[in-house]
Amino acid sequence: VQLQASGGGLVQVGGSLRLSCAASGLTFNNHAVAWFRQAPGKDRELLGITWRHGNTYYTDPVKGRFTISTDNARNTVYLQMNSLTPEDTAVYYCAADLNPPYGSAKFKPSSYHDWGQGTQVTVSS
């Protein structure tokens, strides 16, 4: 199983980026897929999750700005990020698990079995 995250880069405040997470060895429509980020010196934090029934959840820092979408034909999950601020600077990770985490479990990185390698997003002011 391999998750390949891509699409990070340098963007100015207020700009947008779209991250991609492509999977091999698993089928996303059978898994819960989440996006996390980790800034220097901080814990890895959940940004959002999409469950296989199509429902999504976003944490407050990104709600209304970030959107998770899935292309089942390409077996790829996207994270569209708009209205970026310097506080969004971090390494972004996609994660997946066949056993979908709910409740408090969805916030825990240990709830996800498969991880991408991370892609750096830097927002300059």
Side-chain angles (χ1 to χ4, degrees):
V1 173
Q2 185 176 15
L3 302 184
Q4 182 74 35
S6 62
L10 177 64
V11 63
Q12 291 187 332
V13 169
S16 299
L17 280 176
R18 188 178 76 161
L19 306 184
S20 300
C21 180
S24 59
L26 65 81
T27 303
F28 271 146
N29 62 8
N30 292 333
H31 288 67
V33 183
W35 286 94
F36 284 77
R37 70 185 177 192
Q38 188 165 19
K42 294 188 176 181
D43 293 335
R44 194 167 295 191
E45 65 168 336
L46 175 71
L47 304 177
I49 179 174
T50 180
W51 289 279
R52 52 192 173 208
H53 45 62
N55 285 5
T56 54
Y57 167 87
Y58 299 95
T59 57
D60 286 345
V62 305
K63 193 179 301 180
R65 300 190 299 126
F66 291 11
T67 303
I68 297 173
S69 61
T70 303
D71 184 336
N72 289 325
R74 297 180 185 271
N75 206 27
T76 299
V77 174
Y78 302 98
L79 180 67
Q80 177 67 44
M81 307 186 296
N82 299 327
S83 302
L84 288 163
T85 73
E87 288 69 37
D88 296 314
T89 295
V91 179
Y92 284 66
Y93 299 89
C94 57
D97 201 282
L98 187 60
N99 298 307
Y102 295 99
S104 61
K106 63 181 176 287
F107 297 99
K108 300 176 182 178
S110 60
S111 296
Y112 302 85
H113 183 267
D114 301 300
W115 286 84
Q117 83 286 6
T119 184
Q120 175 72 44
V121 172
T122 303
V123 184
S124 65
S125 57

